[in-house]
Amino acid sequence: MTANTTPRTRTLTIIAQDPSVRVGGKILRAQVEVPAEELAPGPWGYRVHVVDYDSSTGSQYRPIKYPPIGTNKNGDGDPFFKATDANLLSDPNFHAQNVYAIVMRILARFEFALGRRVSWGFYGHQIKVAPHAFADANAFYSEDDQALMFGYFPGLTHMVFCCLSHDIVAHETSHALLDGLRTRFTDPSSPEQAAFHEGFADVVALLSVFALPGIVETIIDINAPGKNTSQIARKYTTADALRKSMLLGLAKEMGQELPTIRGDVLRRSVELAPSRKYIHDLEFMEPHRRGEIFVAAVMNSFVEVWAKRLEALGKADQLDRGRVVEEGAMIADYLLTMVIRALDYTPPVNLEFCDFLSAVLTSDREINPNDSRYHFRDILRKTFVSYGIDPAATGTEEEPGIWDAPKAGLNYDLVHFESMQRDRDEVFRFIWQNRGSEALDLYDDSYTRVLSLRPCLRVGPDGFALRETVVEYMQIVTVIAGELGRLKIKVPEGMAADQELMLYGGGTLIFDEYGRVKYHITNKVNHSERQEQRLKYLWEYGYYRDPSSFRNFANLHRKKRMAPFADSIRQEW
Amino acid sequence: MATMKPKSLTLRSYQVGFGDCFLLTFHYNGKTHDRHVLIDFGSTGQKKSMGENLMVRVAEDIKKETGGKLHAIVATHRHKDHISGFATNAKGTASGDIIASCNPDVVIQPWTEHPKAKPTDKQAPSTMTKTQSFVNSLRSMHEIAESVLIEADRRQKQKALGPVMHRELTFLGDDNLSNMSAVENLMNMGKKHFYVNYGTRSGLESVLPGVKIRVLGPPNMKQSEEITTQRSKDEDEFWQLQAMSNKFVIQSNPKVFPKAKIYSPTNGPGATRWFVQRVRALRGEQLLSIVRALDKVMNNTSIILLFEVGGKKLLFPGDAQIENWSYALSKPAVKRMLAGVDLYKVGHHGSRNATPRSLWDGFTKRSDKQTKNRLETFCSTMPGKHGKAVSKTEVPRKTLVDALKSLSNYHTTEELKGKSIRLDHTINFK
């Protein structure tokens, strides 16, 4: 028997942020590791299929063949290892590689954080990616087409390709992955749920770019003087200085090529000073705008943790530049893991930011009980609160904001531990048998089903494994508006009594390694306050007139730019 | 003249198919003192039964009814269905030539048509004023419309576009073309030109003594900013980008990557064909949503005029949609003023978003009974041209028409039978 020498990863060249970020006049690149696989032309791998068809010109570009893994010593099977900048820009096959590698990298990041394979939000294993789908300043995830679409357009001096912007590719990939993990988050709900999709995708994009070697150095070099020394003055490492130089610096870099798609959104998020007022402000009812509050809360937490960490490095006036960079990239990476992990601890429907905050605090505490080194949880909670987002749960004295323990009346007598790890029907039996108010407290008069069952194995900072099983179930009640009073829900003004409505609710069950429920995280179908807000929003923003416009990222992205007046829908016939 | 007041008004609603053409004749003492104001003259589609040369026949009728003299022309906005009748031809026999021969004294257009508002081609976006930038965006929209039409035709030939999608794209694309001949004719006609926005003089004051005319829309850039909390430059830049992208694509045989190898059109790998079809279909939808959006922006440059005379209020809002209306309706005094409207020209051919509900609900002369002062409503429209009932976008919108019929004396060009081209209505003033 011989040892398995097949490499586990393949290294591929990508453009670190976008072609406008340059060092010494050259495009800043990164060599990133993606899971090794024998690629078919496309690249076409086990999770991603790049199809380079341009619908505006009607051209389909021929892909190149990739060398088998482990056979090419120079660049490890990377055809663009030695390519010039001009080659990178003018060869559609490099663009195809760029999207393939970034999508795979983000996917791998999600799988690492969650400790299991992560499916896309559609039936199928391979997401299609069209790097030059059309001539349009737009890019989006399309569930119906099982694809990520990237447009291109002539800029003032050169052609701008969305597929060459790391943050755009990461953002759209995050939509697709989030849709796979929480398929009901694209349901028409409160503006906050749609905002979360946008904000979360932005956070993943920003943090994954930050975690990339080279980016932090470059931004620091641009914004903090003295780049020729190995030191950086302490005054440039305060939270405020880092916010201005690093976050704003990156947002500006990202906005240079694509001001209308990304730049303004990221810049606005970063510049959003803490205030508890935004969350109630009508202006922030538009999902993209509301998403900026979420981005601001996470990214400001990042800066606070980083600055605090740098403070702990001693009192010298100058800090080691390499160390500052390393800490930043490391913190970005950990925070990215935290926010992805938190998804498992969110309710399956009608998400609000406050739910996410409790989710991130709880999931991190499970795997990393001792937070004394970086104070991630403490800082996240305080920063979210400063933006008007209070945790959904009270928590404990030591860990404020974490989800509560489940009710004590759960009965495990009639189910089997082994089946509960893999069989949805078995889990459903458990849920059904515990539907009473003393246990899971389900709403009686509704349709109930298990959406997903996911065993996972995560590794904590102490090296020990954390085994959990995550189950989502949902409940659906079909009513007419006239019946809402029965659920103590007020009918939105102007809605006819015979208007048919669907109310969604549900819960996430986290089972521990012994098959016992650790957490039961719910958004109940009869939560009158939330259902009332949701119905009011959907009614006022025209969902019941034109439902299709609510479940489409292409429309959502265009709508953002065509920002409608808040009351236009109400004025229509 | 200063003490003159009109005694009555004849409103002629012309049959132009899908479009607007209203001739207002204010009758002062004696026929020689009639004053004629033409509000819009355009069409994007006519019933076959109307026969050839409808627009020329309408123009000739206008000439006849006015005795060859128009006092004013109001071109509410640049859409084809409002201005195509002003187009001329080399022989001087087109409908626009006939209108020009009526020597209008005054031509009134929205502020967005002001020649000085147009930026030069060389002007960099960074040095543009907001006004110039917006006007430039409008120009970009014409370019988009033009390129969408070309792409739609090309795609239909490649069988990448279905007939329904092609028809809708062609309709909207066509309506949003720049209509240069009509625009130039409007520019050359008239002794005086007025480019108006909310609150400015209408320019009709000297033509219509004894009539108070208020301009209620469109708001200019500064005014629209007052009512929007976050109106970024995104929208303008968006149109510039769209125009550039599409202009690029329509260039003959465009090549984004000149050296790249491509598959022949029918020879792509089997595993990619389903997806290629999906991207093609998506492009069709995308073009449609772009032209729909630009159609709306253009509608919102419409002039809204309120005539007050002899105790009556007549409201002509062109195709103004809710966004245009929002500024005027944000003013409580204007809302109060509008409450007493006696005659309402139904906005945008009866579409769902051009008669704001708050405007309609405020009209106090609505009634479900045939009262003496019941609201009169006039709609120039043609069903089956625009939108679909299934998506609740049909024009005219059924729910609106139902309301108009039940609460006002509703007049529509759809009533015109055979080849008759005109619906006349007289209003007497105190």
Side-chain angles (χ1 to χ4, degrees):
Chain A
M1 204 168 129
T2 54
N4 182 356
T5 54
T6 310
R8 309 301 294 173
T9 57
R10 184 197 287 264
T11 306
L12 291 173
T13 299
I14 61 166
I15 289 179
Q17 165 43 32
D18 64 47
S20 72
V21 180
R22 292 178 183 238
V23 176
K26 290 189 172 169
I27 295 173
L28 182 65
R29 307 171 188 201
Q31 317 294 323
V32 294
E33 289 191 352
V34 296
E37 58 174 324
E38 299 298 355
L39 288 167
W44 183 7
Y46 73 111
R47 301 303 304 279
V48 177
H49 184 183
V50 181
V51 179
D52 203 354
Y53 175 72
D54 178 347
S55 62
S56 295
T57 62
S59 324
Q60 186 171 359
Y61 300 105
R62 279 181 184 274
I64 51 168
K65 282 186 183 164
Y66 273 76
I69 43 172
T71 55
N72 185 346
K73 285 180 184 164
N74 288 332
D76 190 27
D78 175 3
F80 295 95
F81 185 59
K82 290 182 177 169
T84 63
D85 280 1
N87 285 148
L88 297 190
L89 295 176
S90 65
D91 189 342
N93 279 305
F94 171 70
H95 298 202
Q97 170 167 315
N98 197 61
V99 285
Y100 165 79
I102 295 171
V103 175
M104 284 302 286
R105 180 173 176 260
I106 299 292
L107 171 67
R109 207 64 202 66
F110 271 65
E111 291 186 339
F112 167 77
L114 295 168
R116 60 169 189 270
R117 293 286 173 225
V118 177
S119 302
W120 304 113
F122 47 82
Y123 294 108
H125 309 283
Q126 296 157 313
I127 196 165
K128 312 276 190 299
V129 184
H132 311 101
F134 34 65
D136 186 11
N138 201 359
F140 51 84
Y141 159 59
S142 167
E143 184 187 347
D144 291 344
D145 300 306
Q146 309 186 355
L148 302 177
M149 310 279 188
F150 298 95
Y152 63 91
F153 56 95
L156 290 175
T157 55
H158 58 277
M159 192 68 77
V160 179
F161 298 101
C162 293
C163 68
L164 294 185
S165 283
H166 189 143
D167 68 304
I168 291 182
V169 180
H171 177 103
E172 302 309 332
T173 310
S174 303
H175 276 310
L177 286 165
L178 181 53
D179 193 28
L181 285 162
R182 284 287 183 270
T183 187
R184 310 303 302 213
F185 281 4
T186 48
D187 280 354
S189 180
S190 65
E192 212 148 275
Q193 182 162 279
F196 177 76
H197 236 287
E198 289 303 323
F200 182 81
D202 274 340
V203 162
V204 173
L206 280 163
L207 291 176
S208 64
V209 173
F210 259 118
L212 208 59
I215 280 286
V216 176
E217 285 102 313
T218 306
I219 309 272
I220 281 201
D221 287 348
I222 291 170
N223 293 286
K227 64 179 167 186
N228 296 329
T229 70
S230 60
Q231 305 281 299
I232 183 167
R234 170 79 67 180
K235 63 177 177 179
Y236 295 118
T237 65
T238 63
D240 211 34
L242 288 172
R243 189 176 297 114
K244 281 191 186 128
S245 65
M246 298 303 298
L247 281 188
L248 202 56
L250 183 61
K252 280 182 184 162
E253 290 295 335
M254 286 177 168
Q256 263 187 17
E257 291 232 307
L258 301 153
T260 56
I261 301 184
R262 312 284 301 135
D264 275 358
V265 178
L266 296 179
R267 204 203 64 234
R268 275 202 300 262
S269 308
V270 172
E271 286 178 341
L272 205 62
S275 162
R276 289 180 62 82
K277 287 183 184 162
Y278 306 129
I279 218 92
H280 307 291
D281 190 335
L282 197 63
E283 181 184 341
F284 287 89
M285 288 299 272
E286 194 276 319
H288 285 87
R289 199 82 179 102
R290 202 167 187 81
E292 289 168 20
I293 306 174
F294 180 80
V295 179
V298 177
M299 295 314 290
N300 278 297
S301 305
F302 161 64
V303 167
E304 292 290 336
V305 174
W306 191 6
K308 210 174 172 88
R309 183 66 196 147
L310 296 178
E311 252 174 51
L313 293 181
K315 298 206 178 303
D317 284 347
Q318 300 283 324
L319 291 174
D320 180 67
R321 223 175 169 86
R323 185 69 191 271
V324 170
V325 167
E326 202 177 278
E327 290 287 346
M330 205 277 290
I331 290 164
D333 200 50
Y334 188 81
L335 192 55
L336 181 58
T337 306
M338 267 180 98
V339 296
I340 296 170
R341 251 176 208 162
L343 294 174
D344 270 352
Y345 280 64
T346 55
V349 294
N350 298 340
L351 181 84
E352 295 190 7
F353 295 160
C354 57
D355 298 320
F356 181 82
L357 177 56
S358 282
V360 76
L361 298 174
T362 317
S363 60
D364 190 61
R365 197 205 61 153
E366 287 299 306
I367 199 148
N368 182 30
N370 183 357
D371 188 34
S372 60
R373 187 167 181 202
Y374 289 98
H375 302 280
F376 273 110
R377 295 201 287 277
D378 195 34
I379 289 173
L380 269 170
R381 191 180 56 251
K382 284 181 180 152
T383 315
F384 270 67
V385 167
S386 72
Y387 282 93
I389 306 163
D390 299 324
T394 319
T396 63
E397 204 174 315
E398 300 79 41
E399 291 283 351
I402 64 164
W403 293 120
D404 298 330
K407 290 186 178 177
L410 291 167
N411 180 353
Y412 298 85
D413 290 350
L414 300 172
V415 290
H416 303 283
F417 171 76
E418 188 56 29
S419 301
M420 288 271 284
Q421 309 292 304
R422 63 190 88 250
D423 189 335
R424 286 190 197 198
D425 290 320
E426 188 73 356
V427 175
F428 185 78
R429 182 179 184 181
F430 171 78
I431 291 170
W432 185 251
Q433 124 188 354
N434 283 292
R435 65 188 183 278
S437 60
E438 74 294 348
L440 295 178
D441 192 19
L442 301 196
Y443 185 67
D444 286 338
D445 188 16
S446 74
Y447 165 79
T448 307
R449 83 178 169 101
V450 171
L451 292 174
S452 68
L453 184 164
R454 296 173 176 130
C456 38
L457 183 68
R458 323 185 208 273
V459 179
D462 61 356
F464 280 90
L466 177 72
R467 199 180 286 275
E468 290 178 335
T469 305
V470 183
V471 170
E472 292 174 274
Y473 70 87
M474 84 177 291
Q475 295 202 286
I476 304 174
V477 180
T478 308
V479 289
I480 55 167
E483 295 172 325
L484 287 173
R486 183 153 64 79
L487 291 148
K488 299 193 174 68
I489 299 168
K490 244 192 276 169
V491 181
E493 203 182 319
M495 184 186 270
D498 61 355
Q499 172 73 50
E500 276 198 19
L501 305 164
M502 305 263 259
L503 302 179
Y504 303 113
T508 301
L509 292 162
I510 311 282
F511 291 92
D512 66 14
E513 51 205 318
Y514 307 105
R516 301 274 147 170
V517 175
K518 279 201 290 191
Y519 296 101
H520 179 213
I521 301 148
T522 61
N523 242 338
K524 290 177 181 296
V525 77
N526 55 344
H527 191 312
S528 50
E529 190 190 332
R530 283 201 182 184
Q531 294 290 11
E532 202 167 289
Q533 281 172 4
R534 171 181 166 266
L535 289 177
K536 184 169 184 281
Y537 168 74
L538 292 177
W539 173 246
E540 290 179 353
Y541 283 79
Y543 167 71
Y544 294 102
R545 188 180 41 74
D546 185 11
S548 61
S549 67
F550 267 69
R551 207 189 148 98
N552 182 326
F553 286 105
N555 281 351
L556 198 63
H557 287 189
R558 177 158 287 113
K559 261 186 186 170
K560 172 185 67 176
R561 282 169 295 182
M562 303 306 298
F565 286 72
D567 74 339
S568 6
I569 305 284
R570 278 168 283 192
Q571 297 268 24
E572 290 184 355
W573 289 85
Chain B
M1 283 288 274
T3 54
M4 277 176 68
K5 271 192 177 176
K7 295 188 159 184
S8 62
L9 164 81
T10 302
L11 172 65
R12 298 175 186 83
S13 310
Y14 280 95
Q15 170 64 279
V16 284
F18 197 94
D20 260 13
C21 180
F22 295 95
L23 178 64
L24 283 68
T25 301
F26 291 85
H27 303 290
Y28 291 79
N29 269 333
K31 198 168 182 186
T32 51
H33 289 118
D34 281 355
R35 293 296 167 102
H36 307 286
V37 179
L38 178 64
I39 302 183
D40 289 335
F41 180 21
S43 172
T44 47
Q46 295 143 21
K47 285 193 272 186
K48 279 189 185 154
S49 60
M50 293 312 297
E52 297 288 304
N53 293 329
L54 174 65
M55 299 308 266
V56 170
R57 279 188 282 136
V58 170
E60 279 166 353
D61 193 72
I62 291 169
K63 187 164 186 174
K64 188 174 135 236
E65 292 295 309
T66 58
K69 174 65 194 171
L70 269 171
H71 296 89
I73 288 176
V74 180
T76 60
H77 65 295
R78 197 186 260 236
H79 268 150
K80 186 177 174 183
D81 60 334
H82 288 254
I83 62 165
S84 69
F86 298 116
T88 55
N89 65 14
K91 287 186 195 163
T93 56
S95 53
D97 295 305
I98 299 167
I99 298 296
S101 73
C102 297
N103 292 320
D105 296 324
V106 178
V107 173
I108 293 145
Q109 288 173 274
W111 66 271
T112 47
E113 297 296 320
H114 197 296
K116 282 186 188 164
K118 287 182 174 53
T120 64
D121 285 336
K122 287 174 191 164
Q123 205 157 12
S126 57
T127 62
M128 258 183 222
T129 64
K130 279 181 181 171
T131 301
Q132 286 171 328
S133 170
F134 181 72
V135 172
N136 201 29
S137 295
L138 292 181
R139 198 177 49 170
S140 304
M141 290 177 204
H142 298 316
E143 290 173 1
I144 297 166
E146 190 183 341
S147 54
V148 165
L149 280 177
I150 293 172
E151 192 177 329
D153 281 345
R154 194 179 67 210
R155 288 164 59 79
Q156 202 198 24
K157 279 181 199 136
Q158 292 170 349
K159 297 190 174 156
L161 200 66
V164 176
M165 183 75 85
H166 181 257
R167 196 169 63 230
E168 199 159 351
L169 275 176
T170 310
F171 173 74
L172 282 173
D174 191 39
D175 202 19
N176 283 282
L177 289 178
S178 62
N179 301 299
M180 274 324 287
S181 166
V183 169
E184 280 169 14
N185 194 22
L186 282 166
M187 214 181 271
N188 294 329
M189 280 191 287
K191 290 172 197 143
K192 279 188 180 171
H193 287 255
F194 292 86
Y195 300 95
V196 302
N197 59 272
Y198 175 94
T200 59
R201 275 184 71 220
S202 70
L204 289 167
E205 290 76 6
S206 58
V207 175
L208 298 175
V211 182
K212 190 163 194 172
I213 302 121
R214 295 176 199 269
V215 182
L216 300 181
N220 61 18
M221 293 303 280
K222 206 169 157 226
Q223 290 165 337
S224 350
E225 277 168 10
E226 280 176 39
I227 51 164
T228 48
T229 45
Q230 183 233 332
R231 190 166 180 97
S232 65
K233 60 179 184 172
D234 288 3
E235 194 176 314
D236 288 349
E237 286 187 1
F238 170 66
W239 292 115
Q240 310 284 350
L241 287 175
Q242 289 298 340
M244 282 197 284
S245 310
N246 286 285
K247 209 154 118 184
F248 165 77
V249 167
I250 59 164
Q251 287 168 359
S252 58
N253 195 18
K255 281 200 170 158
V256 188
F257 302 105
K259 291 181 189 161
K261 290 180 184 158
I262 55 173
Y263 290 105
S264 70
T266 53
N267 200 28
T272 65
R273 287 182 194 169
W274 173 83
F275 182 63
V276 165
Q277 281 172 9
R278 301 286 299 193
V279 184
R280 277 184 182 162
L282 186 129
R283 176 66 176 171
E285 292 287 345
Q286 189 180 40
L287 291 176
L288 195 58
S289 84
I290 291 169
V291 285
R292 273 193 192 133
L294 70 89
D295 192 60
K296 181 174 176 166
V297 174
M298 199 67 77
N299 280 337
N300 280 329
T301 64
S302 273
I303 297 176
I304 304 174
L305 290 179
L306 179 69
F307 297 86
E308 289 178 78
V309 50
K312 299 278 185 187
K313 288 180 182 172
L314 325 170
L315 180 59
F316 286 82
D319 277 359
Q321 292 186 202
I322 287 157
E323 292 77 3
N324 180 335
W325 266 114
S326 293
Y327 186 71
L329 294 178
S330 70
K331 312 269 176 203
V334 173
K335 276 189 106 165
R336 280 197 298 276
M337 198 191 305
L338 288 168
V341 161
D342 298 273
L343 184 153
Y344 169 57
K345 194 291 291 191
V346 180
H348 194 214
H349 323 285
S351 80
R352 76 172 181 191
N353 46 17
T355 300
R357 277 187 184 270
S358 60
L359 171 75
W360 173 251
D361 292 345
F363 288 153
T364 55
K365 290 177 182 165
R366 290 179 311 153
S367 171
D368 54 5
K369 296 187 183 69
Q370 281 295 340
T371 52
K372 195 178 153 204
N373 290 325
R374 197 181 192 209
L375 176 68
E376 303 281 348
T377 53
F378 288 81
C379 188
S380 176
T381 193
M382 180 175 162
K385 280 299 284 183
H386 198 346
K388 292 182 209 123
V390 67
S391 55
K392 301 178 183 176
T393 55
E394 81 278 16
V395 178
R397 174 91 178 106
K398 185 176 179 303
T399 46
L400 173 61
V401 172
D402 288 347
L404 291 164
K405 280 180 179 167
S406 65
L407 296 174
S408 72
N409 297 328
Y410 178 59
H411 312 272
T412 163
T413 52
E414 292 173 76
E415 290 167 17
L416 290 164
K417 302 282 182 233
K419 291 200 172 177
S420 57
I421 57 167
R422 219 174 69 207
L423 197 71
D424 290 3
H425 184 82
T426 304
I427 293 180
N428 294 312
F429 302 131
K430 277 180 200 162

